[in-house]
Amino acid sequence: MKISKYISSSIGKKQIIAFSGLVLIAIFILPHLLGNLQILRGAQAFNGYAKLLHSMGFVLEIIEAFFALMFVVHIVFTIILVTENFRARSIRYKSAIASEPRSFASRMMPYTGAIILLFLVVHLYDFAFAKEAATSCVWRGEDLGLYGMVMNSFANPWRLGGYAFIMLIVGLHLSHALQSALQTLNLRPGRYVFWFNLLSYFLGISVTVGFVSIIIYAVVH
Amino acid sequence: MGKKLALTLKIWRQESNKAKGKFETYKLKDIDTDASFVEMLDVLNEELALAGKQPVAFETDCREGICGCCGAMVNGHAHGPQRETTLCQLHMRLFENNDTIIVEPFRAKAMPLIKDLIIDRSSLTRIIAKGGYVSVRTGSAPDANSILIRKENAEAAMDAAQCIGCGACAAACPNAAAMLYTAAKVSQLALLPQGHPEREKRVSEMLTQMDKEGFGNCSNSYECEIVCPKGISVTNIARLNKEYLRALLN
């Protein structure tokens, strides 16, 4: 089979989405969560983590370019898939179709995905591209660098609520994502389906709880 | 004789693919709870014919749940609310007196409507024509039991081979994907040594045909598994995914 045929086929597309998704979970979301959790250990630990990232220099840029590529692949192929799926039922059902015990998360995938994409843009603007301006880093009269910037950001209740909501969405997306990707890549053997589904929910919940704990920390302090 | 039911039916009526369709309401009395769903439709059609009206067009053949001809959305469920049951094996005892039952044809672009509840499922046939065969040695009959097959594989192949090609999977799929159907057809042969000579070619060509017919893409909602009258598992879809990747790498 030619690679072009594979890429344009329905299975090829979804396997590419599954693969890029798994990569993003493993090397982007989980390390990002672990890094951000350093904030719970205080300003020094968190700024140390930020410094460590910056010290990677060129390597970090390559990793970031790889993240960007994975995101683009994941998003572009999903858009193609969703459009095709919409066309596959050109005449919709006229009566109410019972949604069989289908997980809410699975039905919401394209929507939660779109919300996460929008969030990504805002989030990059907020933290990654923002200059560590002296004013934004000052927290309670002390220049605390990136730590101060995070604390200042969450001082705004709208931003705080928004972030908490988005983290719920991310958790919902991931709770379907992991088991779905494993099914698509046939890494979810029949007799372990229950455990893989459980693992997927666990991932979704942990990511939400992990990131929200940072927001709670910011509120408490 | 079972109990008798009075029912209100809302059935999709559409003269042809091009015509505009709508739900028509019919009142039925004295429907035996022992009747099957299609027998209930027979009673309705008899009444319509006697009144000089067009009977409801629906497809049915074996009436014992093995041919895959019948099928419609009944109150939003493909083949009705009972699991692992075709429409012809769905019995009226499942319904209550004075129930309203909504009957709509299966809808997918690749399975267009012909009339009322009848749809054109030839797309499914064209998929199987692309690879649902095996090479056999002609000449003298092969020795029985000369090919050894693991018990687990034989069982899994038989489970997949139960697919009757009714199209309920594609009808219930939010993306109108025929993935469970194609997966069952690929699996039943990929699991057996007899299916191996055409293994890669089969999966590649059947999937290409499936895409060409305009079915959607699977997004792992697993609605198909729930409505399948033969209880075909989505592990077959995982196997299809693997077979396809295998065909790419070989």
Side-chain angles (χ1 to χ4, degrees):
Chain A
M1 199 191 329
K2 279 192 197 137
I3 190 95
S4 58
K5 185 176 163 186
Y6 171 81
I7 292 173
S8 61
S9 71
S10 55
I11 292 183
K13 277 179 287 207
K14 71 178 196 163
Q15 284 181 338
I16 290 167
I17 295 172
F19 178 76
S20 53
L22 282 184
V23 167
L24 286 172
I25 290 174
I27 67 164
F28 176 66
I29 295 192
L30 292 181
H32 189 29
L33 174 63
L34 289 180
N36 284 13
L37 282 176
Q38 301 306 313
I39 213 167
L40 304 184
R41 295 171 55 209
Q44 212 165 14
F46 184 65
N47 287 340
Y49 154 71
K51 215 165 161 185
L52 176 80
L53 281 186
H54 284 296
S55 70
M56 287 163 74
F58 180 60
V59 179
L60 185 71
E61 275 172 31
I62 294 179
I63 296 175
E64 280 176 347
F66 183 64
F67 288 159
L69 177 73
M70 286 293 118
F71 267 112
V72 169
V73 166
H74 194 71
I75 293 162
V76 168
F77 278 88
T78 303
I79 291 172
I80 299 173
L81 214 74
V82 170
T83 326
E84 285 176 353
N85 288 348
F86 194 74
R87 278 201 214 118
R89 183 165 287 127
S90 41
I91 300 167
R92 328 295 297 173
Y93 281 106
K94 303 294 185 288
S95 59
I97 293 306
S99 179
E100 309 291 348
R102 176 184 177 203
S103 81
F104 177 68
S106 120
R107 201 177 348 193
M108 290 295 127
M109 281 313 260
Y111 309 109
T112 48
I115 294 173
I116 294 169
L117 174 62
L118 282 177
F119 164 71
L120 203 67
V121 177
V122 176
H123 190 52
L124 282 175
Y125 174 79
D126 268 5
F127 291 109
F129 295 144
K131 293 273 175 295
E132 285 187 29
T135 48
S136 66
C137 295
V138 174
W139 177 249
R140 295 194 178 145
E142 229 181 312
D143 184 351
L144 292 175
L146 192 63
Y147 178 88
M149 217 169 105
V150 173
M151 298 308 260
N152 276 323
S153 300
F154 288 136
N156 177 345
W158 285 104
R159 174 155 305 177
L160 188 133
Y163 265 75
F165 171 72
I166 294 291
M167 287 313 122
L168 271 176
I169 298 285
V170 171
L172 195 64
H173 196 76
L174 293 184
S175 68
H176 177 75
L178 182 66
Q179 58 90 3
S180 182
L182 294 175
Q183 157 87 358
T184 299
L185 297 167
N186 191 40
L187 297 171
R188 194 182 72 143
R191 81 190 92 145
Y192 302 117
V193 162
F194 171 78
W195 295 105
F196 279 113
N197 290 355
L198 209 64
L199 184 70
S200 198
Y201 286 122
F202 178 74
L203 174 77
I205 293 169
S206 336
V207 167
T208 302
V209 169
F211 280 115
V212 168
S213 69
I214 296 167
I215 300 172
I216 293 172
Y217 171 87
V219 175
V220 172
H221 288 75
Chain B
M1 290 285 275
K3 283 193 305 182
K4 301 288 183 188
L5 300 176
L7 298 168
T8 304
L9 292 168
K10 283 188 178 169
I11 301 183
W12 186 259
R13 302 300 308 262
Q14 188 172 338
E15 192 50 42
S16 71
N17 190 277
K18 297 275 175 282
K20 205 169 139 46
K22 64 173 198 288
F23 281 106
E24 292 276 2
T25 307
Y26 304 99
K27 298 263 185 201
L28 278 181
K29 275 190 303 202
D30 295 333
I31 294 297
D32 199 298
T33 48
D34 286 344
S36 74
F37 199 87
V38 290
E39 281 166 348
M40 179 274 292
L41 291 177
D42 288 339
V43 172
L44 169 70
N45 277 352
E46 227 163 279
E47 287 186 12
L48 287 174
L50 284 173
K53 292 180 184 156
Q54 274 271 340
V56 176
F58 65 93
E59 203 177 350
T60 171
D61 188 12
C62 74
R63 300 207 174 199
E64 54 185 19
I66 57 168
C67 77
C69 274
C70 62
M73 299 306 267
V74 175
N75 289 345
H77 299 271
H79 288 295
Q82 187 167 291
R83 296 273 174 100
E84 295 193 28
T85 307
T86 55
L87 199 58
C88 63
Q89 290 295 297
L90 184 74
H91 284 81
M92 298 314 292
R93 65 182 80 97
L94 231 83
F95 297 92
E96 302 288 334
N97 197 25
N98 296 323
D99 266 1
T100 298
I101 305 174
I102 302 172
V103 192
E104 189 174 355
F106 286 166
R107 292 193 193 274
K109 196 179 107 194
M111 302 191 299
L113 186 137
I114 297 174
K115 186 177 180 178
D116 296 342
L117 303 176
I118 300 181
I119 54 160
D120 179 0
R121 268 176 289 220
S122 53
S123 50
L124 298 179
T125 314
R126 284 190 292 274
I127 294 174
I128 197 146
K130 284 290 175 184
Y133 53 83
V134 294
S135 293
V136 289
R137 194 168 62 110
T138 54
S140 59
D143 193 24
N145 304 323
S146 61
I147 304 173
L148 300 178
I149 300 168
R150 275 165 53 110
K151 174 76 175 154
E152 297 89 328
N153 284 8
E155 292 287 345
M158 282 305 289
D159 286 348
Q162 282 202 77
C163 171
I164 52 175
C166 64
C169 46
C173 176
N175 313 323
M179 205 62 127
L180 191 63
Y181 168 82
T182 311
K185 298 304 178 196
V186 166
S187 283
Q188 71 181 51
L189 297 174
L191 282 160
L192 300 175
Q194 288 91 335
H196 286 190
E198 297 89 4
R199 192 173 178 178
E200 290 84 21
K201 185 167 172 269
R202 175 182 306 116
V203 65
S204 162
E205 297 200 350
M206 283 175 79
L207 200 91
T208 306
Q209 189 63 32
M210 185 192 92
D211 290 344
K212 214 163 96 184
E213 295 290 347
F215 286 108
N217 305 289
C218 171
S219 62
N220 300 332
S221 297
Y222 311 136
E223 304 248 349
C224 50
E225 180 182 67
I226 292 160
V227 301
C228 176
K230 296 294 149 185
I232 295 186
S233 156
V234 292
T235 50
N236 288 296
I237 298 184
R239 189 177 295 112
L240 170 69
N241 294 336
K242 179 189 77 177
E243 288 293 318
Y244 196 68
L245 199 56
R246 195 179 169 280
L248 171 77
L249 301 174
N250 280 10

